[in-house]
Short mmCIF file of all heavy atoms in Angstrom, two decimals:
data_model
loop_
_atom_site.label_atom_id
_atom_site.label_comp_id
_atom_site.label_asym_id
_atom_site.label_seq_id
_atom_site.Cartn_x
_atom_site.Cartn_y
_atom_site.Cartn_z
N TYR A 1 110.59 94.14 88.34
CA TYR A 1 111.01 94.43 86.99
C TYR A 1 109.96 93.98 85.98
O TYR A 1 109.82 94.59 84.93
CB TYR A 1 112.34 93.76 86.70
CG TYR A 1 113.47 94.26 87.56
CD1 TYR A 1 114.14 93.40 88.42
CD2 TYR A 1 113.86 95.58 87.52
CE1 TYR A 1 115.18 93.86 89.21
CE2 TYR A 1 114.89 96.04 88.31
CZ TYR A 1 115.56 95.18 89.15
OH TYR A 1 116.59 95.62 89.94
N ASP A 2 109.25 92.91 86.29
CA ASP A 2 108.27 92.36 85.35
C ASP A 2 107.30 91.48 86.12
O ASP A 2 107.53 91.13 87.28
CB ASP A 2 109.01 91.53 84.29
CG ASP A 2 108.17 91.30 83.04
OD1 ASP A 2 107.07 91.88 82.92
OD2 ASP A 2 108.63 90.53 82.16
N TYR A 3 106.20 91.12 85.47
CA TYR A 3 105.28 90.15 86.05
C TYR A 3 104.60 89.40 84.91
O TYR A 3 104.51 89.87 83.79
CB TYR A 3 104.25 90.83 86.96
CG TYR A 3 103.29 91.75 86.26
CD1 TYR A 3 102.05 91.28 85.81
CD2 TYR A 3 103.60 93.08 86.04
CE1 TYR A 3 101.16 92.13 85.17
CE2 TYR A 3 102.72 93.92 85.40
CZ TYR A 3 101.50 93.44 84.96
OH TYR A 3 100.63 94.27 84.32
N TRP A 4 104.18 88.18 85.22
CA TRP A 4 103.49 87.36 84.24
C TRP A 4 102.70 86.29 84.98
O TRP A 4 102.88 86.07 86.16
CB TRP A 4 104.47 86.73 83.24
CG TRP A 4 105.48 85.82 83.85
CD1 TRP A 4 105.39 84.47 84.02
CD2 TRP A 4 106.75 86.19 84.40
NE1 TRP A 4 106.50 83.98 84.63
CE2 TRP A 4 107.37 85.01 84.87
CE3 TRP A 4 107.45 87.40 84.53
CZ2 TRP A 4 108.63 85.01 85.47
CZ3 TRP A 4 108.69 87.38 85.12
CH2 TRP A 4 109.27 86.21 85.58
N VAL A 5 101.82 85.63 84.25
CA VAL A 5 101.02 84.55 84.81
C VAL A 5 101.52 83.24 84.22
O VAL A 5 101.70 83.11 83.01
CB VAL A 5 99.52 84.75 84.48
CG1 VAL A 5 98.71 83.57 84.98
CG2 VAL A 5 99.02 86.05 85.08
N ASP A 6 101.77 82.29 85.11
CA ASP A 6 102.21 80.95 84.72
C ASP A 6 101.13 79.98 85.19
O ASP A 6 101.08 79.64 86.37
CB ASP A 6 103.57 80.63 85.36
CG ASP A 6 104.11 79.27 84.95
OD1 ASP A 6 103.57 78.65 84.02
OD2 ASP A 6 105.10 78.83 85.58
N GLY A 7 100.25 79.60 84.29
CA GLY A 7 99.11 78.78 84.68
C GLY A 7 98.18 79.62 85.53
O GLY A 7 97.65 80.62 85.08
N SER A 8 98.01 79.23 86.78
CA SER A 8 97.16 80.00 87.69
C SER A 8 97.98 80.77 88.73
O SER A 8 97.45 81.25 89.71
CB SER A 8 96.17 79.07 88.40
OG SER A 8 96.88 78.15 89.20
N THR A 9 99.30 80.88 88.48
CA THR A 9 100.19 81.54 89.44
C THR A 9 100.72 82.85 88.86
O THR A 9 101.22 82.87 87.73
CB THR A 9 101.40 80.62 89.77
OG1 THR A 9 100.90 79.41 90.31
CG2 THR A 9 102.33 81.28 90.76
N LEU A 10 100.60 83.92 89.64
CA LEU A 10 101.19 85.19 89.26
C LEU A 10 102.65 85.19 89.71
O LEU A 10 102.94 84.89 90.87
CB LEU A 10 100.46 86.36 89.92
CG LEU A 10 101.10 87.73 89.75
CD1 LEU A 10 101.08 88.16 88.29
CD2 LEU A 10 100.43 88.75 90.63
N VAL A 11 103.55 85.52 88.81
CA VAL A 11 104.97 85.60 89.12
C VAL A 11 105.37 87.07 89.01
O VAL A 11 105.09 87.71 88.00
CB VAL A 11 105.82 84.75 88.14
CG1 VAL A 11 107.29 84.87 88.47
CG2 VAL A 11 105.36 83.30 88.16
N ILE A 12 105.99 87.61 90.04
CA ILE A 12 106.46 88.99 90.04
C ILE A 12 107.96 88.97 90.18
O ILE A 12 108.50 88.45 91.16
CB ILE A 12 105.81 89.81 91.18
CG1 ILE A 12 104.29 89.81 91.04
CG2 ILE A 12 106.36 91.23 91.18
CD1 ILE A 12 103.57 90.48 92.18
N GLU A 13 108.64 89.55 89.19
CA GLU A 13 110.11 89.62 89.20
C GLU A 13 110.54 90.96 89.77
O GLU A 13 110.14 92.01 89.28
CB GLU A 13 110.64 89.47 87.78
CG GLU A 13 112.13 89.55 87.68
CD GLU A 13 112.63 89.48 86.24
OE1 GLU A 13 111.81 89.52 85.31
OE2 GLU A 13 113.85 89.40 86.07
N THR A 14 111.34 90.91 90.84
CA THR A 14 111.82 92.12 91.50
C THR A 14 113.33 92.01 91.70
O THR A 14 113.92 90.96 91.43
CB THR A 14 111.16 92.32 92.87
OG1 THR A 14 111.56 91.26 93.74
CG2 THR A 14 109.64 92.35 92.77
N GLU A 15 113.91 93.06 92.23
CA GLU A 15 115.33 92.97 92.58
C GLU A 15 115.48 91.99 93.74
O GLU A 15 114.52 91.70 94.46
CB GLU A 15 115.89 94.34 92.93
CG GLU A 15 115.24 94.98 94.15
CD GLU A 15 115.69 96.40 94.35
OE1 GLU A 15 115.13 97.29 93.70
OE2 GLU A 15 116.60 96.61 95.17
N LEU A 16 116.68 91.48 93.92
CA LEU A 16 116.94 90.51 94.97
C LEU A 16 116.73 91.16 96.34
O LEU A 16 117.23 92.25 96.62
CB LEU A 16 118.37 89.99 94.85
CG LEU A 16 118.78 88.89 95.82
CD1 LEU A 16 117.90 87.66 95.62
CD2 LEU A 16 120.24 88.53 95.62
N ALA A 17 115.99 90.50 97.19
CA ALA A 17 115.71 91.02 98.53
C ALA A 17 116.81 90.61 99.50
O ALA A 17 117.45 89.57 99.34
CB ALA A 17 114.36 90.48 99.01
N ASP A 18 116.99 91.43 100.53
CA ASP A 18 117.97 91.13 101.57
C ASP A 18 117.40 90.18 102.62
O ASP A 18 118.14 89.57 103.39
CB ASP A 18 118.43 92.41 102.26
CG ASP A 18 119.27 93.29 101.35
OD1 ASP A 18 119.94 92.75 100.46
OD2 ASP A 18 119.25 94.52 101.54
N GLY A 19 116.08 90.08 102.69
CA GLY A 19 115.44 89.23 103.69
C GLY A 19 113.96 89.57 103.76
O GLY A 19 113.45 90.35 102.97
N SER A 20 113.30 88.99 104.74
CA SER A 20 111.86 89.22 104.90
C SER A 20 111.60 90.01 106.19
O SER A 20 112.47 90.14 107.05
CB SER A 20 111.13 87.89 104.96
OG SER A 20 111.42 87.22 106.17
N LEU A 21 110.37 90.48 106.30
CA LEU A 21 109.97 91.17 107.53
C LEU A 21 110.04 90.21 108.72
O LEU A 21 110.44 90.61 109.81
CB LEU A 21 108.56 91.73 107.37
CG LEU A 21 108.06 92.64 108.47
CD1 LEU A 21 108.94 93.87 108.62
CD2 LEU A 21 106.62 93.04 108.21
N GLN A 22 109.73 88.96 108.50
CA GLN A 22 109.82 87.97 109.56
C GLN A 22 111.26 87.81 110.03
O GLN A 22 111.54 87.74 111.24
CB GLN A 22 109.27 86.63 109.08
CG GLN A 22 109.30 85.55 110.14
CD GLN A 22 108.65 84.26 109.65
OE1 GLN A 22 107.81 84.28 108.76
NE2 GLN A 22 109.04 83.16 110.23
N GLU A 23 112.19 87.76 109.09
CA GLU A 23 113.61 87.65 109.45
C GLU A 23 114.09 88.89 110.20
O GLU A 23 114.87 88.79 111.15
CB GLU A 23 114.46 87.41 108.21
CG GLU A 23 114.23 86.05 107.58
CD GLU A 23 114.84 85.91 106.20
OE1 GLU A 23 115.12 86.94 105.53
OE2 GLU A 23 115.04 84.76 105.78
N ARG A 24 113.61 90.06 109.78
CA ARG A 24 113.99 91.31 110.46
C ARG A 24 113.48 91.30 111.90
O ARG A 24 114.20 91.71 112.82
CB ARG A 24 113.46 92.52 109.71
CG ARG A 24 113.79 93.84 110.35
CD ARG A 24 115.29 94.11 110.40
NE ARG A 24 115.54 95.34 111.11
CZ ARG A 24 116.39 95.46 112.13
NH1 ARG A 24 117.12 94.43 112.51
NH2 ARG A 24 116.54 96.61 112.73
N LEU A 25 112.25 90.84 112.08
CA LEU A 25 111.70 90.74 113.43
C LEU A 25 112.57 89.83 114.29
O LEU A 25 112.91 90.17 115.43
CB LEU A 25 110.27 90.21 113.40
CG LEU A 25 109.65 89.89 114.75
CD1 LEU A 25 109.60 91.11 115.66
CD2 LEU A 25 108.27 89.29 114.57
N GLN A 26 112.97 88.70 113.74
CA GLN A 26 113.80 87.76 114.51
C GLN A 26 115.15 88.38 114.85
O GLN A 26 115.66 88.19 115.96
CB GLN A 26 113.99 86.46 113.73
CG GLN A 26 114.67 85.39 114.56
CD GLN A 26 113.86 85.02 115.80
OE1 GLN A 26 112.69 84.69 115.71
NE2 GLN A 26 114.50 85.09 116.96
N GLU A 27 115.73 89.15 113.92
CA GLU A 27 116.99 89.84 114.21
C GLU A 27 116.82 90.77 115.41
O GLU A 27 117.68 90.82 116.30
CB GLU A 27 117.44 90.68 113.01
CG GLU A 27 117.95 89.90 111.83
CD GLU A 27 118.21 90.80 110.63
OE1 GLU A 27 118.02 92.03 110.72
OE2 GLU A 27 118.61 90.25 109.59
N CYS A 28 115.73 91.52 115.43
CA CYS A 28 115.48 92.46 116.53
C CYS A 28 115.30 91.72 117.85
O CYS A 28 115.86 92.13 118.87
CB CYS A 28 114.27 93.33 116.22
SG CYS A 28 114.54 94.50 114.87
N VAL A 29 114.53 90.65 117.83
CA VAL A 29 114.32 89.85 119.04
C VAL A 29 115.64 89.27 119.53
O VAL A 29 115.94 89.29 120.73
CB VAL A 29 113.26 88.75 118.79
CG1 VAL A 29 113.20 87.76 119.94
CG2 VAL A 29 111.89 89.38 118.54
N ASP A 30 116.46 88.79 118.59
CA ASP A 30 117.77 88.23 118.96
C ASP A 30 118.67 89.28 119.60
O ASP A 30 119.57 88.95 120.38
CB ASP A 30 118.46 87.63 117.73
CG ASP A 30 117.80 86.36 117.23
OD1 ASP A 30 116.95 85.79 117.96
OD2 ASP A 30 118.11 85.94 116.10
N GLN A 31 118.45 90.56 119.26
CA GLN A 31 119.23 91.65 119.84
C GLN A 31 118.64 92.11 121.17
O GLN A 31 119.12 93.08 121.77
CB GLN A 31 119.28 92.84 118.88
CG GLN A 31 120.02 92.56 117.60
CD GLN A 31 119.88 93.69 116.58
OE1 GLN A 31 119.27 94.73 116.86
NE2 GLN A 31 120.42 93.48 115.40
N GLY A 32 117.59 91.45 121.63
CA GLY A 32 116.98 91.79 122.91
C GLY A 32 115.90 92.86 122.82
O GLY A 32 115.42 93.32 123.86
N LEU A 33 115.52 93.23 121.63
CA LEU A 33 114.44 94.21 121.46
C LEU A 33 113.09 93.51 121.53
O LEU A 33 112.99 92.32 121.23
CB LEU A 33 114.59 94.92 120.10
CG LEU A 33 115.87 95.71 119.88
CD1 LEU A 33 115.98 96.17 118.43
CD2 LEU A 33 115.92 96.90 120.82
N PRO A 34 112.03 94.24 121.89
CA PRO A 34 110.70 93.63 121.94
C PRO A 34 110.09 93.39 120.56
O PRO A 34 109.10 92.70 120.42
CB PRO A 34 109.87 94.62 122.75
CG PRO A 34 110.55 95.93 122.54
CD PRO A 34 112.02 95.61 122.39
N GLY A 35 110.68 93.99 119.56
CA GLY A 35 110.20 93.87 118.19
C GLY A 35 110.96 94.84 117.30
O GLY A 35 111.97 95.42 117.71
N ILE A 36 110.46 95.04 116.10
CA ILE A 36 111.07 96.01 115.18
C ILE A 36 110.79 97.40 115.71
O ILE A 36 109.64 97.70 116.08
CB ILE A 36 110.49 95.83 113.76
CG1 ILE A 36 110.80 94.42 113.24
CG2 ILE A 36 111.04 96.89 112.81
CD1 ILE A 36 110.09 94.06 111.95
N PRO A 37 111.79 98.29 115.78
CA PRO A 37 111.54 99.64 116.26
C PRO A 37 110.41 100.32 115.48
O PRO A 37 110.29 100.17 114.27
CB PRO A 37 112.88 100.36 116.03
CG PRO A 37 113.90 99.24 116.08
CD PRO A 37 113.21 98.06 115.45
N SER A 38 109.57 101.06 116.21
CA SER A 38 108.36 101.66 115.63
C SER A 38 108.63 102.49 114.40
O SER A 38 107.92 102.37 113.39
CB SER A 38 107.65 102.53 116.68
OG SER A 38 107.23 101.74 117.75
N LYS A 39 109.63 103.35 114.44
CA LYS A 39 109.91 104.22 113.30
C LYS A 39 110.24 103.40 112.05
O LYS A 39 109.78 103.70 110.95
CB LYS A 39 111.05 105.18 113.64
CG LYS A 39 111.27 106.25 112.61
CD LYS A 39 112.29 107.28 113.10
CE LYS A 39 112.44 108.39 112.08
NZ LYS A 39 113.33 109.43 112.54
N GLU A 40 111.02 102.36 112.22
CA GLU A 40 111.38 101.47 111.11
C GLU A 40 110.14 100.73 110.59
O GLU A 40 109.91 100.64 109.38
CB GLU A 40 112.44 100.48 111.58
CG GLU A 40 112.87 99.48 110.53
CD GLU A 40 113.89 98.48 111.07
OE1 GLU A 40 114.45 98.68 112.17
OE2 GLU A 40 114.13 97.49 110.36
N LEU A 41 109.34 100.22 111.51
CA LEU A 41 108.16 99.44 111.15
C LEU A 41 107.13 100.30 110.41
O LEU A 41 106.51 99.83 109.44
CB LEU A 41 107.54 98.82 112.40
CG LEU A 41 106.45 97.79 112.19
CD1 LEU A 41 106.94 96.64 111.33
CD2 LEU A 41 105.95 97.28 113.53
N ILE A 42 106.96 101.53 110.81
CA ILE A 42 106.03 102.43 110.13
C ILE A 42 106.45 102.64 108.67
O ILE A 42 105.61 102.66 107.77
CB ILE A 42 105.90 103.77 110.89
CG1 ILE A 42 105.13 103.55 112.18
CG2 ILE A 42 105.23 104.84 110.02
CD1 ILE A 42 105.14 104.72 113.14
N GLY A 43 107.75 102.75 108.44
CA GLY A 43 108.24 102.87 107.07
C GLY A 43 107.90 101.64 106.24
O GLY A 43 107.49 101.75 105.08
N TYR A 44 108.04 100.47 106.83
CA TYR A 44 107.68 99.24 106.12
C TYR A 44 106.19 99.22 105.81
O TYR A 44 105.77 98.85 104.71
CB TYR A 44 108.04 98.00 106.94
CG TYR A 44 109.51 97.78 107.15
CD1 TYR A 44 109.99 97.25 108.35
CD2 TYR A 44 110.45 98.09 106.17
CE1 TYR A 44 111.34 97.03 108.55
CE2 TYR A 44 111.80 97.88 106.37
CZ TYR A 44 112.24 97.35 107.57
OH TYR A 44 113.58 97.14 107.76
N HIS A 45 105.37 99.64 106.77
CA HIS A 45 103.92 99.64 106.55
C HIS A 45 103.54 100.58 105.41
O HIS A 45 102.66 100.24 104.61
CB HIS A 45 103.19 100.04 107.83
CG HIS A 45 103.14 98.94 108.84
ND1 HIS A 45 102.80 99.15 110.14
CD2 HIS A 45 103.39 97.61 108.74
CE1 HIS A 45 102.84 98.01 110.81
NE2 HIS A 45 103.20 97.06 109.98
N ALA A 46 104.18 101.73 105.32
CA ALA A 46 103.89 102.65 104.22
C ALA A 46 104.25 102.01 102.87
O ALA A 46 103.48 102.10 101.91
CB ALA A 46 104.65 103.96 104.42
N ASP A 47 105.39 101.35 102.80
CA ASP A 47 105.81 100.69 101.57
C ASP A 47 104.86 99.54 101.21
O ASP A 47 104.51 99.36 100.03
CB ASP A 47 107.23 100.14 101.69
CG ASP A 47 108.28 101.24 101.76
OD1 ASP A 47 107.98 102.39 101.38
OD2 ASP A 47 109.41 100.94 102.20
N ILE A 48 104.44 98.79 102.20
CA ILE A 48 103.51 97.68 101.97
C ILE A 48 102.19 98.21 101.44
O ILE A 48 101.63 97.67 100.48
CB ILE A 48 103.31 96.87 103.27
CG1 ILE A 48 104.60 96.16 103.66
CG2 ILE A 48 102.16 95.88 103.13
CD1 ILE A 48 104.63 95.69 105.11
N ALA A 49 101.69 99.29 102.04
CA ALA A 49 100.43 99.87 101.59
C ALA A 49 100.54 100.35 100.14
O ALA A 49 99.63 100.12 99.33
CB ALA A 49 100.02 101.03 102.50
N ASP A 50 101.65 101.00 99.79
CA ASP A 50 101.86 101.45 98.41
C ASP A 50 101.87 100.26 97.45
O ASP A 50 101.27 100.31 96.37
CB ASP A 50 103.17 102.22 98.28
CG ASP A 50 103.11 103.60 98.90
OD1 ASP A 50 101.99 104.11 99.15
OD2 ASP A 50 104.19 104.18 99.14
N ALA A 51 102.57 99.19 97.82
CA ALA A 51 102.65 98.01 96.96
C ALA A 51 101.28 97.36 96.78
O ALA A 51 100.91 96.98 95.66
CB ALA A 51 103.65 97.01 97.54
N LEU A 52 100.52 97.25 97.85
CA LEU A 52 99.19 96.65 97.76
C LEU A 52 98.26 97.53 96.94
O LEU A 52 97.44 97.01 96.16
CB LEU A 52 98.62 96.38 99.15
CG LEU A 52 99.30 95.25 99.92
CD1 LEU A 52 98.77 95.19 101.34
CD2 LEU A 52 99.14 93.92 99.21
N ASP A 53 98.36 98.85 97.09
CA ASP A 53 97.57 99.75 96.25
C ASP A 53 97.87 99.51 94.78
O ASP A 53 96.96 99.43 93.95
CB ASP A 53 97.86 101.22 96.60
CG ASP A 53 97.11 101.70 97.81
OD1 ASP A 53 96.16 101.02 98.26
OD2 ASP A 53 97.48 102.78 98.32
N TRP A 54 99.15 99.41 94.43
CA TRP A 54 99.53 99.19 93.04
C TRP A 54 98.96 97.87 92.52
O TRP A 54 98.42 97.81 91.42
CB TRP A 54 101.06 99.20 92.90
CG TRP A 54 101.49 99.03 91.49
CD1 TRP A 54 101.66 100.02 90.56
CD2 TRP A 54 101.79 97.80 90.82
NE1 TRP A 54 102.05 99.47 89.36
CE2 TRP A 54 102.13 98.10 89.49
CE3 TRP A 54 101.81 96.47 91.21
CZ2 TRP A 54 102.48 97.14 88.56
CZ3 TRP A 54 102.15 95.50 90.28
CH2 TRP A 54 102.48 95.84 88.98
N LEU A 55 99.09 96.81 93.33
CA LEU A 55 98.54 95.52 92.92
C LEU A 55 97.03 95.60 92.71
O LEU A 55 96.52 95.14 91.68
CB LEU A 55 98.85 94.44 93.97
CG LEU A 55 100.27 93.92 94.01
CD1 LEU A 55 100.45 92.99 95.21
CD2 LEU A 55 100.63 93.20 92.73
N HIS A 56 96.33 96.20 93.65
CA HIS A 56 94.87 96.28 93.55
C HIS A 56 94.45 97.13 92.36
O HIS A 56 93.49 96.78 91.67
CB HIS A 56 94.27 96.81 94.85
CG HIS A 56 94.41 95.85 95.98
ND1 HIS A 56 94.22 96.21 97.30
CD2 HIS A 56 94.74 94.52 96.01
CE1 HIS A 56 94.41 95.17 98.08
NE2 HIS A 56 94.73 94.13 97.33
N GLU A 57 95.15 98.22 92.11
CA GLU A 57 94.84 99.05 90.94
C GLU A 57 95.08 98.29 89.64
O GLU A 57 94.46 98.58 88.62
CB GLU A 57 95.66 100.33 90.96
CG GLU A 57 95.21 101.31 92.02
CD GLU A 57 96.15 102.49 92.17
OE1 GLU A 57 97.13 102.61 91.41
OE2 GLU A 57 95.90 103.31 93.07
N SER A 58 95.97 97.30 89.68
CA SER A 58 96.27 96.47 88.52
C SER A 58 95.34 95.26 88.43
O SER A 58 95.53 94.40 87.57
CB SER A 58 97.73 96.00 88.58
OG SER A 58 98.61 97.11 88.59
N GLY A 59 94.39 95.17 89.35
CA GLY A 59 93.44 94.07 89.35
C GLY A 59 93.96 92.80 89.99
O GLY A 59 93.41 91.72 89.76
N ILE A 60 95.00 92.92 90.78
CA ILE A 60 95.62 91.75 91.41
C ILE A 60 95.35 91.79 92.91
O ILE A 60 95.57 92.80 93.56
CB ILE A 60 97.14 91.74 91.15
CG1 ILE A 60 97.42 91.69 89.64
CG2 ILE A 60 97.80 90.58 91.87
CD1 ILE A 60 98.85 92.02 89.27
N ILE A 61 94.88 90.67 93.45
CA ILE A 61 94.63 90.57 94.88
C ILE A 61 95.67 89.62 95.47
O ILE A 61 95.77 88.46 95.07
CB ILE A 61 93.21 90.01 95.17
CG1 ILE A 61 92.15 90.86 94.48
CG2 ILE A 61 92.97 89.90 96.67
CD1 ILE A 61 92.04 92.27 94.98
N HIS A 62 96.46 90.10 96.43
CA HIS A 62 97.44 89.26 97.12
C HIS A 62 96.70 88.51 98.22
O HIS A 62 96.09 89.11 99.09
CB HIS A 62 98.54 90.14 97.71
CG HIS A 62 99.74 89.39 98.18
ND1 HIS A 62 99.66 88.38 99.12
CD2 HIS A 62 101.04 89.48 97.84
CE1 HIS A 62 100.87 87.89 99.34
NE2 HIS A 62 101.73 88.54 98.56
N ARG A 63 96.75 87.21 98.19
CA ARG A 63 95.97 86.39 99.12
C ARG A 63 96.80 85.75 100.23
O ARG A 63 96.31 84.89 100.95
CB ARG A 63 95.22 85.32 98.35
CG ARG A 63 94.25 85.90 97.34
CD ARG A 63 93.48 84.80 96.63
NE ARG A 63 92.78 85.31 95.49
CZ ARG A 63 91.54 85.80 95.52
NH1 ARG A 63 90.90 85.86 96.65
NH2 ARG A 63 90.98 86.24 94.42
N ASP A 64 98.05 86.17 100.36
CA ASP A 64 98.88 85.54 101.40
C ASP A 64 99.85 86.57 101.98
O ASP A 64 101.06 86.40 101.94
CB ASP A 64 99.64 84.36 100.80
CG ASP A 64 100.24 83.45 101.86
OD1 ASP A 64 99.81 83.52 103.03
OD2 ASP A 64 101.16 82.68 101.52
N ILE A 65 99.28 87.63 102.55
CA ILE A 65 100.10 88.68 103.14
C ILE A 65 100.47 88.27 104.56
O ILE A 65 99.60 88.05 105.40
CB ILE A 65 99.35 90.03 103.16
CG1 ILE A 65 99.00 90.44 101.73
CG2 ILE A 65 100.19 91.10 103.85
CD1 ILE A 65 98.02 91.56 101.65
N LYS A 66 101.78 88.10 104.78
CA LYS A 66 102.28 87.74 106.10
C LYS A 66 103.74 88.17 106.16
O LYS A 66 104.37 88.42 105.11
CB LYS A 66 102.13 86.24 106.37
CG LYS A 66 102.84 85.36 105.35
CD LYS A 66 102.52 83.90 105.60
CE LYS A 66 103.19 83.03 104.54
NZ LYS A 66 102.79 81.63 104.67
N PRO A 67 104.31 88.31 107.34
CA PRO A 67 105.70 88.79 107.46
C PRO A 67 106.71 88.00 106.62
O PRO A 67 107.64 88.59 106.07
CB PRO A 67 105.99 88.67 108.95
CG PRO A 67 104.64 88.86 109.59
CD PRO A 67 103.69 88.15 108.66
N ALA A 68 106.54 86.70 106.48
CA ALA A 68 107.50 85.90 105.70
C ALA A 68 107.43 86.23 104.21
O ALA A 68 108.39 86.01 103.49
CB ALA A 68 107.24 84.42 105.92
N ASN A 69 106.29 86.79 103.76
CA ASN A 69 106.12 87.11 102.35
C ASN A 69 106.38 88.58 102.03
O ASN A 69 106.18 89.00 100.89
CB ASN A 69 104.73 86.72 101.88
CG ASN A 69 104.53 85.23 101.82
OD1 ASN A 69 105.50 84.48 101.84
ND2 ASN A 69 103.30 84.80 101.76
N ILE A 70 106.78 89.35 103.02
CA ILE A 70 107.10 90.75 102.79
C ILE A 70 108.63 90.84 102.72
O ILE A 70 109.32 90.66 103.73
CB ILE A 70 106.53 91.64 103.90
CG1 ILE A 70 104.99 91.53 103.86
CG2 ILE A 70 107.01 93.08 103.75
CD1 ILE A 70 104.29 92.21 104.98
N LEU A 71 109.11 91.09 101.52
CA LEU A 71 110.55 91.09 101.29
C LEU A 71 111.11 92.49 101.45
O LEU A 71 110.51 93.47 101.04
CB LEU A 71 110.84 90.55 99.88
CG LEU A 71 110.29 89.15 99.61
CD1 LEU A 71 110.61 88.72 98.19
CD2 LEU A 71 110.83 88.14 100.61
N LEU A 72 112.29 92.58 102.06
CA LEU A 72 112.94 93.85 102.34
C LEU A 72 114.20 93.97 101.51
O LEU A 72 114.86 92.98 101.22
CB LEU A 72 113.30 93.94 103.83
CG LEU A 72 112.15 93.70 104.81
CD1 LEU A 72 112.69 93.72 106.24
CD2 LEU A 72 111.05 94.72 104.62
N LYS A 73 114.53 95.20 101.18
CA LYS A 73 115.79 95.41 100.45
C LYS A 73 116.72 96.26 101.25
O LYS A 73 116.41 96.80 102.25
CB LYS A 73 115.55 96.04 99.09
CG LYS A 73 114.83 97.38 99.14
CD LYS A 73 114.67 97.92 97.76
CE LYS A 73 114.01 99.28 97.85
NZ LYS A 73 114.16 100.03 96.67
#
């Protein structure tokens, strides 16, 4: 919804997330799957790429991309 800088920290305000990619992976493993189903994971990758493109076009570099920091809705 919005973003701002607080000191040296970028704050991005978004809608409330249901969980993270890391949590989704754990759910799948707990269900006996080897990981997140490919079709689902490809969709996440497309969304992640779009979000990173937007950030980079805005002059913002995300320096901590990892499953725990990828929020899902």
Side-chain angles (χ1 to χ4, degrees):
Y1 297 118
D2 198 7
Y3 66 93
W4 61 92
V5 176
D6 182 11
S8 63
T9 301
L10 172 66
V11 179
I12 300 175
E13 179 183 8
T14 66
E15 63 188 83
L16 184 61
D18 291 331
S20 70
L21 188 60
Q22 181 175 336
E23 292 168 339
R24 179 64 184 127
L25 172 60
Q26 189 60 54
E27 288 173 1
C28 291
V29 170
D30 290 347
Q31 294 172 4
L33 299 171
I36 298 171
S38 297
K39 189 172 183 176
E40 179 182 348
L41 190 57
I42 288 170
Y44 294 144
H45 284 165
D47 291 342
I48 293 163
D50 287 343
L52 290 173
D53 279 346
W54 182 87
L55 285 173
H56 291 165
E57 288 171 4
S58 300
I60 300 166
I61 305 295
H62 192 303
R63 299 182 192 271
D64 195 18
I65 300 167
K66 59 186 177 186
N69 290 344
I70 297 173
L71 303 179
L72 306 176
K73 58 179 182 163

